[in-house]
Amino acid sequence: MFNDIPSPEAKVIELLEHIKDLVAATQSIDDLATKERRNSSVSRNTLTPADAIHLQSVYSGIQHLAQDCIEVIEHFHPQWKMSSRSGTGSAILYGEVFRMLFSSIILLHINGTSGDEEANDLILKAAEEPSPWTKTLKDSASTICQALGFLPLALVHAGKAILLRLCSWDGYLAFFDRHTDRIRRDRSSSRDSRRIQEDDDSMNVFSSYEILYRSLEVSGHQKFEDAIELLQLFSYFHHQNIRVDVSVHAATNPLREEKAGVEQAKADEEIQRKIPDSVRKTWTTWLRELSIRLSRHLDSPPPLPAALRNTDCLTLAHLEDEVNDRLRIALVELVKRSLIMSQDRAQGRYCMHPLVHKWVRERAGMATSQQALWCQVSTTVLARSISFPPLGDTEFERDMRRELLPHIIHVRSCESDIRKRLQENRMRRRSLWPALYVEFGKHQALESTRFSRVYSECGLFKEALQLQSKVRSFAIQALGEGHPLAIRISLFQTGTLYELSRASEATRLQRRMYEVCLESLGQHQPLTLTVADMLASSLCFMGQYSASLSLHQKAVEGMTLIYGERHVDTLKAIRNLARVHLRYMEFSKSAELGLIAWEGMKEELGEAHVETLIALEDLAMTRIRLGKDYLPECHDQMDFVLKQREKVQGKEHPYTLLAICNLGRVKSAMGQPEDAARIMEQAVDIAERNLGENHYGVLAGKPHYAQVLVKLNQFEEAEEIFYTITGKPQYQQFTDDEGGEHRDRLIALWYLAGCLEKQGKFQKALETCQGLEQSLRDIGGKGLGTKHKFAAMVQEEIAKIQGLIKDKEEVSESDLTVPAEI
């Protein structure tokens, strides 16, 4: 961790520039004061009150810091000695600034001690703990060191607090948070000088940063003002991997979205000409849309740093250049003062020391209202950097959104804490007048929608659903259930419900949205066709293949009419239609449609796009049913899908685990069950840990893994897995009717029968197949399950097993086969 830390001697050269800046800032105040005195009759030995207060605060801070630094400096460099000096006059003051700041910043701004052991050694000695130190004690010390970023002066303060029994080792971090919070709250109100001096003594660990911060405040230059605002902004981000392009996107995305909106309006007009029966808007819908348009002009703009505002109404290209220039100039000032550090200069990534990160948010005197303001600014910047679909679909932007997740989590955590404190403050005031504030309005709905996109793409579906539920309720209340925006957020929510295995709930909502679309928009509208396609996919998942096929065909025909055959939405509908033919076991037809969808998406979106990968995965898993000639190509295709998902979504994302399982199925079909079992076992374990044992992805993946174990003659383990995933109640949340059946359970029963048969457990295999035959009557609705090709396969298997039972003495090894994979 500390291999790249520069030596104190090298750091001195860099810090000299910081010290020069501070001395120059202090000198400028003295020069200004001298000039003012010349223009008036004020004595040369008198400073203005403001100048005196500033210089005295700088001098006092350095004095206290120097005293605390003695112990740290002697620990690392015993040859360094400091002696206090005093004097009057600006020349001596500048000497004190230079000497003490030089001595203290050298140590404070080295990015930590030289290692974990040295940090532990420093804090334990400061606490005067007798050696030898126990493992528990060293672990507690290590936890504190990591939380304080290995900052030597902070470690000494921690050791002293524990030595004085202000807190225990385990309770120090909580004590530190309470202490700094109290000082911040007390400083925001007027108090006597004695208490302020006590707090100064407690906060000396931050003194050098405070001095550097004030060196930015005293100048009225734009770059310094931008630097302060950026520092406040970044303090509510996560302290690592702070990307400049996030702020640039926050400034420029409104112009991009406005342009895209204009283009979409023109495209919608063209589409409406192709629609035969367009439904007219009701007066209620028209008035609501009018109120939305008016509110856009009446609403105050969300708070943003000055560097990100387009006050001069610049064009997109000019605004992007302007914002980039101002940000980089301000960042130079922050880096010079070590308030932030360059993490990757080529890619424009920065970081903050954890303690500086915390100190900026909780500086002494920072009122809760100020914290709320800057937390909201940070929230706005993060949210506006996330584009609404169809924008933001490039690989670069998808990567950027995934890297936003730690920042979003941090700023929302800060917001929650600030909200609690504001509520406590309101309770303490006990005003007769009720407090007026917006709990969840339009701005919050927009932010939540954007954040939920990041949560969904990162696999945090519970968090995404919480945000989407709030947005949907707000949208329906403000716009009505039939408004396109309310319908779209509802569809977004149904997708998240499916990822959480709440398929039944998602399908009910999709059915409702389809009814609303038919009523308010008409059957040929693009949004209606999109809802129809999604509902059809849900019905296919639940085994209602006939209804699914009908809806998918309508969606494909309608989208082809209004969009054309090569439009992405049309290609998605074709891909979904191919899945229905796969469930009907019409493998050639499914592969034909799947190939059309994949080739079209590869051309329109690129081979590595998330939708293209889904189409390729579907195609590969269809073709493994077409014969051994396709297996090598299927293997290469699934290997490509897996590598892309590992690279982009991570090794434990649900869709990455799905790709591993499907690659294992291909390997098994190619006669490589050992390799298949090895990768599938790990994927199943991770999925069960992350998603839960009753998640539909886990329940759908385990039968295929157990089937591979059967091929390896590991019957006992395979049989145990089958029995844990064939319980009917486990699948109730995936069915449309109470007591209904689900296809994944039937597949597991089919594989179980094969496992039992291969072990010679013919009676149990027969009972399993007979139960499977009964279940086919309960799936698909109206007894359609018994008309499926699979029903004939089950009947053949029953007859075969009955023959084996009858002629048990004549059974040969070749008769003990596993039913064909479906």
Side-chain angles (χ1 to χ4, degrees):
M1 178 177 180
F2 302 100
N3 293 338
D4 298 327
I5 295 177
S7 65
E9 292 77 14
K11 197 69 177 177
V12 166
I13 299 174
E14 179 183 345
L15 294 172
L16 280 172
E17 296 299 321
H18 303 167
I19 296 167
K20 289 179 182 178
D21 288 343
L22 180 60
V23 174
T26 312
Q27 180 69 57
S28 66
I29 293 179
D30 194 23
D31 291 344
L32 180 62
T34 302
K35 183 177 180 180
E36 291 295 328
R37 287 192 297 270
R38 287 173 180 170
N39 295 335
S40 62
S41 301
V42 180
S43 168
R44 288 182 57 85
N45 294 326
T46 306
L47 289 170
T48 64
D51 294 338
I53 291 173
H54 173 73
L55 292 177
Q56 180 59 37
S57 66
V58 172
Y59 181 61
S60 175
I62 295 171
Q63 274 191 321
H64 287 92
L65 181 63
Q67 294 300 320
D68 286 332
C69 280
I70 292 175
E71 182 176 346
V72 183
I73 291 172
E74 290 181 348
H75 177 84
F76 289 103
H77 300 281
Q79 70 273 21
W80 293 5
K81 299 294 181 181
M82 293 181 61
S83 59
S84 59
R85 295 174 58 185
S86 61
T88 58
S90 61
I92 295 179
L93 175 59
Y94 301 148
E96 290 289 342
V97 170
F98 188 93
R99 185 186 67 80
M100 292 187 179
L101 191 62
F102 177 83
S103 300
S104 59
I105 288 183
I106 283 175
L107 193 57
L108 279 170
H109 286 276
I110 292 175
N111 298 331
T113 56
S114 61
D116 292 356
E117 292 186 4
E118 189 167 356
N120 278 11
D121 182 69
L122 178 59
I123 190 173
L124 289 167
K125 287 183 177 179
E128 297 183 10
E129 289 286 351
S131 58
W133 301 313
T134 65
K135 183 180 184 302
T136 301
L137 185 61
K138 288 191 288 186
D139 288 344
S140 298
S142 180
T143 300
I144 296 174
C145 292
Q146 291 177 11
L148 298 181
F150 302 94
L151 200 64
L153 191 57
L155 301 183
V156 170
H157 271 265
K160 286 182 178 178
I162 294 169
L163 173 64
L164 296 173
R165 299 188 181 279
L166 299 177
C167 58
S168 65
W169 283 98
D170 291 338
Y172 175 76
L173 294 177
F175 167 78
F176 178 80
D177 288 339
R178 292 194 304 270
H179 192 58
T180 53
D181 182 62
R182 181 190 63 78
I183 293 174
R184 179 194 57 76
R185 285 187 282 106
D186 289 348
R187 280 291 187 90
S188 64
S189 59
S190 58
R191 297 191 306 133
D192 61 81
S193 58
R194 181 181 61 83
R195 290 288 301 278
I196 292 176
Q197 183 62 51
E198 291 176 2
D199 290 346
D200 284 340
D201 293 340
S202 299
M203 299 296 285
N204 279 344
V205 65
F206 298 123
S207 296
S208 66
Y209 298 120
E210 188 69 38
I211 293 169
L212 295 170
Y213 186 93
R214 290 177 184 177
S215 75
L216 294 172
E217 282 187 322
V218 296
S219 175
H221 294 162
Q222 182 188 75
K223 64 179 180 179
F224 297 126
E225 294 174 353
D226 288 346
I228 290 177
E229 290 189 342
L230 277 186
L231 192 64
Q232 294 286 356
L233 174 71
F234 293 164
S235 70
Y236 288 92
F237 290 8
H238 190 272
H239 69 276
Q240 291 283 355
N241 198 27
I242 301 172
R243 296 175 52 152
V244 176
D245 54 5
V246 169
S247 298
V248 176
H249 271 72
T252 57
N253 264 350
L255 292 181
R256 289 192 179 91
E257 291 177 349
E258 182 180 359
K259 180 182 177 182
V262 173
E263 294 175 352
Q264 186 62 48
K266 293 180 180 178
D268 289 343
E269 290 180 5
E270 185 66 27
I271 289 173
Q272 293 304 316
R273 297 190 185 100
K274 302 177 182 179
I275 297 176
D277 57 342
S278 180
V279 177
R280 296 184 61 181
K281 294 179 181 178
T282 64
W283 278 103
T284 302
T285 302
W286 185 83
L287 288 172
R288 279 173 166 166
E289 290 183 349
L290 177 62
S291 67
I292 292 174
R293 289 195 293 270
L294 290 174
S295 68
R296 290 174 182 169
H297 298 284
L298 298 176
D299 280 351
S300 57
L304 284 173
L308 306 185
R309 299 177 199 151
N310 190 11
T311 54
D312 296 328
C313 299
L314 301 176
T315 63
L316 178 60
H318 288 157
L319 177 62
E320 190 168 0
D321 291 339
E322 173 82 6
V323 171
N324 262 308
D325 291 343
R326 286 186 65 170
L327 290 179
R328 295 188 184 283
I329 291 171
L331 288 167
V332 166
E333 298 303 321
L334 294 175
V335 171
K336 282 169 59 178
R337 289 163 173 78
S338 293
L339 292 172
I340 67 171
M341 294 167 282
S342 178
Q343 187 172 333
D344 188 332
R345 185 173 301 175
Q347 296 187 12
R349 299 170 188 262
Y350 295 84
C351 61
M352 297 178 68
H353 190 283
L355 270 188
V356 178
H357 188 243
K358 181 180 178 66
W359 163 77
V360 174
R361 294 195 309 276
E362 302 180 1
R363 290 180 61 231
M366 175 78 77
T368 305
S369 58
Q370 290 177 288
Q371 292 179 317
L373 171 62
W374 281 109
C375 184
Q376 180 57 56
V377 170
S378 301
T379 301
T380 300
V381 170
L382 289 172
R384 287 177 56 155
S385 69
I386 305 164
S387 302
F388 281 125
L391 297 179
D393 203 30
T394 65
E395 183 176 354
F396 171 79
E397 289 171 298
R398 289 193 295 272
D399 289 343
M400 186 185 76
R401 283 197 298 274
R402 280 187 289 273
E403 292 189 15
L404 284 180
L405 180 62
H407 303 299
I408 294 173
I409 292 174
H410 187 268
V411 76
R412 293 190 68 216
S413 174
C414 293
E415 179 189 23
S416 177
D417 180 63
I418 292 170
R419 189 183 296 275
K420 290 178 183 177
R421 284 192 274 116
L422 287 174
Q423 180 64 28
E424 292 171 358
N425 293 343
R426 283 193 291 268
M427 296 295 292
R428 281 198 296 267
R429 283 199 295 267
R430 297 180 181 178
S431 173
L432 296 176
W433 296 96
L436 299 177
Y437 61 96
V438 177
E439 185 69 26
F440 195 87
K442 186 182 74 173
H443 292 304
Q444 288 79 12
L446 292 172
E447 290 168 357
S448 296
T449 304
R450 297 178 194 268
F451 285 166
S452 71
R453 185 179 188 184
V454 176
Y455 281 126
S456 293
E457 292 177 348
C458 293
L460 299 178
F461 300 115
K462 290 182 180 179
E463 291 79 359
L465 181 62
Q466 290 175 353
L467 295 178
Q468 291 162 11
S469 298
K470 289 183 179 180
V471 175
R472 180 172 182 267
S473 298
F474 173 80
I476 291 175
Q477 182 179 4
L479 305 172
E481 191 179 24
H483 192 279
L485 290 178
I487 295 171
R488 290 187 186 280
I489 188 60
S490 297
L491 291 182
F492 197 8
Q493 184 173 341
T494 62
T496 306
L497 287 170
Y498 260 100
E499 298 294 351
L500 292 170
S501 289
R502 294 163 63 174
S504 180
E505 185 179 347
T507 305
R508 287 196 299 270
L509 182 56
Q510 287 173 348
R511 277 202 176 98
R512 175 57 188 162
M513 289 302 101
Y514 187 54
E515 294 171 359
V516 169
C517 285
L518 291 175
E519 179 182 346
S520 61
L521 301 176
Q523 62 177 333
H524 298 295
Q525 285 288 337
L527 187 53
T528 305
L529 296 173
T530 299
V531 175
D533 187 57
M534 293 184 67
L535 175 58
S537 295
S538 299
L539 295 176
C540 178
F541 175 77
M542 293 187 167
Q544 299 181 30
Y545 301 143
S546 179
S548 174
L549 180 63
S550 176
L551 271 180
H552 271 315
Q553 288 173 337
K554 287 182 181 179
V556 171
E557 291 170 3
M559 291 181 182
T560 302
L561 174 65
I562 62 177
Y563 291 139
E565 295 179 350
R566 306 297 289 180
H567 191 276
V568 172
D569 286 349
T570 307
L571 295 170
K572 288 181 185 178
I574 293 173
R575 180 192 67 196
N576 294 336
L577 177 60
R579 291 178 176 176
V580 184
H581 287 287
L582 175 65
R583 300 308 173 198
Y584 270 123
M585 302 180 72
E586 298 170 349
F587 303 131
S588 296
K589 180 64 175 177
S590 178
E592 177 186 345
L593 293 173
L595 182 62
I596 293 172
W598 172 59
E599 289 180 340
M601 289 185 184
K602 184 170 63 171
E603 181 179 340
E604 297 294 325
L605 301 174
E607 66 175 0
H609 191 277
V610 58
E611 296 291 346
T612 309
L613 294 176
I614 293 174
L616 180 59
E617 185 173 36
D618 284 356
L619 178 61
M621 300 317 295
T622 301
R623 282 180 163 176
I624 64 172
R625 276 89 166 188
L626 296 180
K628 294 183 178 180
D629 293 342
Y630 289 92
L631 293 180
E633 184 180 8
C634 292
H635 185 279
D636 292 342
Q637 290 170 339
M638 280 311 309
D639 187 60
F640 176 77
V641 171
L642 175 58
K643 288 178 179 177
Q644 290 299 315
R645 287 181 179 165
E646 285 181 335
K647 173 185 174 183
V648 175
Q649 295 174 309
K651 293 186 177 181
E652 294 194 3
H653 191 279
Y655 285 120
T656 304
L657 301 177
L658 173 63
I660 294 173
C661 181
N662 284 334
L663 178 61
R665 292 174 63 186
V666 178
K667 287 181 178 293
S668 177
M670 296 176 69
Q672 304 170 15
E674 294 85 358
D675 292 342
R678 176 177 50 80
I679 63 174
M680 293 175 78
E681 180 182 16
Q682 185 178 12
V684 167
D685 289 343
I686 295 173
E688 198 165 24
R689 183 192 70 209
N690 294 350
L691 304 175
E693 61 181 9
N694 288 325
H695 188 277
Y696 78 82
V698 177
L699 294 175
K702 277 188 172 182
H704 298 294
Y705 170 55
Q707 182 76 335
V708 173
L709 296 179
V710 170
K711 291 184 178 181
L712 292 172
N713 295 328
Q714 298 180 21
F715 301 119
E716 184 176 346
E717 184 179 352
E719 187 176 339
E720 182 181 356
I721 292 175
F722 284 130
Y723 280 123
T724 62
I725 58 175
T726 51
K728 196 171 184 179
Q730 294 172 279
Y731 296 85
Q732 286 301 296
Q733 57 184 332
F734 314 138
T735 61
D736 211 16
D737 304 312
E738 186 175 352
E741 281 288 0
H742 192 269
R743 61 178 175 84
D744 286 337
R745 177 174 178 268
L746 303 189
I747 291 174
L749 288 171
W750 177 250
Y751 288 161
L752 171 60
C755 177
L756 295 170
E757 179 188 338
K758 198 166 184 181
Q759 297 178 74
K761 300 178 180 179
F762 300 128
Q763 187 59 43
K764 286 187 177 181
L766 177 61
E767 293 170 359
T768 300
C769 284
Q770 290 172 337
L772 181 55
E773 185 180 32
Q774 177 61 41
S775 295
L776 282 169
R777 299 189 181 99
D778 300 330
I779 193 170
K782 302 178 182 179
L784 293 177
T786 57
K787 300 177 182 179
H788 195 278
K789 291 180 180 180
F790 182 46
M793 294 171 59
V794 173
Q795 291 173 356
E796 291 176 5
E797 189 67 19
I798 289 175
K800 174 189 169 185
I801 297 174
Q802 287 174 337
L804 291 173
I805 293 175
K806 183 179 179 181
D807 304 322
K808 187 172 183 181
E809 295 180 358
E810 302 176 10
V811 172
S812 64
E813 180 65 26
S814 60
D815 293 323
L816 305 179
T817 60
V818 179
E821 183 172 308
I822 56 175

